């Protein structure tokens, strides 16, 4: 297994990424254009080093590139609560970086699929709708939210709402710091403050995921995965995606939806990861 870490330029940010190539990966060609790479996209305030993404890089039978969105993990730049389309641009930059031959020292690599979790999954779908010619043949969404205006109950405390009313923004939490890995600790993830402003909430509420009916189904398949024990995203959201995607797919075999019983939103237990791999 080969591994390397590097930065990918993305506008005014630099995205930190991790390439993993299993010993069998280069035996899986993608036509004449190269060998398959899966891009892995994390969720809200997460990093590529979280258990789910390390597990995906371990069990996927392809080379994979997991990266930190701008303002997360070891990447530079800033993130915000409603910047889904900005994250779609990050995904575009990552795919162009890989397909453009920047990793040619590892062989001829080309993106064959994208896996996104939670916020990252919604950003993957928005990317594919906006840049159909860059869309690979497989999109996998894990625990994706459909209705952005439906907020998690009790996510905002009374003092948050008071600060929002008085000052137009509030400090929700600090994030970052040490990240535990099976191989050790990544000590340099910066600790950041996550401020939420009224415009961030408006931006998120205005993000219309019904656009997925315009996905380029002539060139891609979509697998939607949801945990049956998810308490962060309502169970109905995955079926909303399924229903709307099928309106645009024409071929029902282009969309598949699976619910894994009892799996949580975060997929961080050994059992959940084993169920996901299966």
């Amino acid at each position: 297994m080969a591994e390397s870490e590097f930065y990918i330029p993305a506008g005014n940010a630099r995205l930190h990424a991790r390439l993993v190539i299993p010993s069998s990966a280069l035996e899986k060609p993608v036509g004449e254009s190269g060998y398959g790479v899966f891009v892995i996209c994390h969720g809200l305030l997460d990093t590529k080093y979280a258990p789910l993404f390390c597990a995906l890089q371990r069990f996927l039978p392809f080379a994979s590139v997991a990266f930190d969105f701008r303002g997360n993990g070891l990447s530079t730049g800033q993130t915000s609560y409603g910047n889904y389309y900005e994250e779609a641009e990050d995904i575009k930059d990552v795919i162009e970086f890989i397909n453009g031959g920047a990793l040619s020292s590892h062989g001829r690599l080309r993106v064959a699929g994208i896996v996104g979790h939670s916020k990252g999954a919604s950003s993957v779908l928005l990317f594919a709708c906006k840049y159909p010619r860059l869309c690979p043949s497989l999109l996998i969404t894990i625990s994706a939210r459909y209705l952005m205006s439906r907020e998690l109950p009790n996510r905002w405390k009374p003092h948050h709402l008071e600060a929002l009313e008085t000052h137009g923004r509030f400090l929700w939490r600090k994030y970052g710091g040490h990240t535990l890995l099976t191989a050790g600790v990544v000590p340099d993830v910066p600790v950041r403050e996550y401020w939420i402003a009224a415009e961030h909430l408006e931006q998120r509420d205005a993000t219309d995921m019904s656009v997925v009916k315009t996905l380029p189904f002539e060139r891609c398949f979509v697998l939607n995965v949801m945990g049956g024990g998810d308490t962060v995203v309502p169970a109905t959201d995955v079926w909303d995606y399924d229903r709307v995607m099928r309106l645009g797919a024409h071929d029902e075999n282009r969309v598949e939806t699976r619910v894994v019983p009892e799996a949580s939103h975060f997929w961080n237990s050994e059992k959940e990861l084993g169920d996901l791999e299966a």
Side-chain angles (χ1 to χ4, degrees):
M1 178 180 289
E3 300 183 20
S4 63
E5 298 192 0
F6 46 88
Y7 280 97
I8 298 172
N12 60 358
R14 297 170 68 233
L15 310 178
H16 194 263
R18 179 172 182 248
L19 169 69
V20 173
I21 306 180
S23 57
S24 61
L26 296 183
E27 299 173 5
K28 300 184 180 295
V30 178
E32 298 180 357
S33 58
Y35 294 92
V37 179
F38 268 70
V39 172
I40 299 173
C41 306
H42 65 75
L44 180 70
L45 304 186
D46 212 344
T47 82
K48 62 185 173 297
Y49 296 117
L52 171 59
F53 314 114
C54 289
L56 287 171
Q57 290 202 285
R58 186 174 66 248
F59 68 64
L60 280 173
F62 290 89
S64 61
V65 172
F67 73 97
D68 295 330
F69 282 112
R70 63 182 58 230
N72 291 271
L74 295 175
S75 292
T76 66
Q78 294 182 327
T79 186
S80 68
Y81 197 61
N83 72 331
Y84 290 83
Y85 275 101
E86 193 170 45
E87 291 191 347
E89 295 299 319
D90 286 350
I91 296 169
K92 169 183 172 289
D93 290 333
V94 170
I95 289 179
E96 289 183 333
F97 181 86
I98 297 169
N99 289 349
L103 301 176
S104 59
S105 61
H106 297 280
R108 294 186 301 118
L109 303 176
R110 191 166 183 84
V111 176
I114 316 177
V115 184
H117 172 248
S118 193
K119 184 186 180 188
S122 300
S123 298
V124 166
L125 295 172
L126 295 173
F127 153 79
C129 292
K130 186 174 181 180
Y131 297 105
R133 281 189 274 183
L134 289 176
C135 180
S137 58
L138 179 60
L139 305 176
I140 301 176
T141 75
I142 303 173
S143 308
R145 184 178 299 277
Y146 179 81
L147 188 59
M148 296 298 174
S149 60
R150 181 169 53 197
E151 192 53 84
L152 184 68
N154 301 317
R155 170 166 279 183
W156 314 133
K157 307 304 181 188
H159 66 279
H160 293 146
L161 300 177
E162 182 180 349
L164 187 67
E165 179 69 23
T166 304
H167 305 293
R169 66 172 192 158
F170 60 87
L171 175 62
W172 185 29
R173 62 174 64 173
K174 293 184 178 181
Y175 67 107
H178 294 337
T179 304
L180 295 177
L181 281 172
T182 53
V185 174
V186 179
D188 296 324
V189 175
V191 175
R192 297 174 167 107
E193 292 184 339
Y194 195 65
W195 289 83
I196 292 182
E199 58 264 32
H200 301 157
L201 298 174
E202 293 167 0
Q203 185 181 31
R204 173 171 151 124
D205 287 354
T207 303
D208 181 7
M209 295 309 301
S210 71
V211 72
V212 297
K213 63 179 176 290
T214 69
L215 282 165
F217 290 107
E218 70 280 0
R219 62 182 299 156
C220 77
F221 295 84
V222 182
L223 171 62
N224 300 305
V225 182
M226 186 80 170
D230 195 323
T231 59
V232 176
V233 174
T236 55
D237 279 31
V238 73
W239 297 113
D240 286 332
Y241 273 121
D242 183 272
R243 172 181 55 81
V244 176
M245 286 178 183
R246 291 181 187 278
L247 292 176
H250 302 300
D251 178 358
E252 65 178 14
N253 294 319
R254 290 279 170 168
V255 180
E256 183 172 349
T257 298
R258 299 180 185 177
V259 176
V260 179
E262 300 182 5
S264 72
H265 181 75
F266 298 101
W267 303 85
N268 52 12
S269 74
E270 288 298 323
K271 182 181 185 306
E272 289 171 339
L273 294 174
D275 290 341
L276 185 62
E277 180 177 5

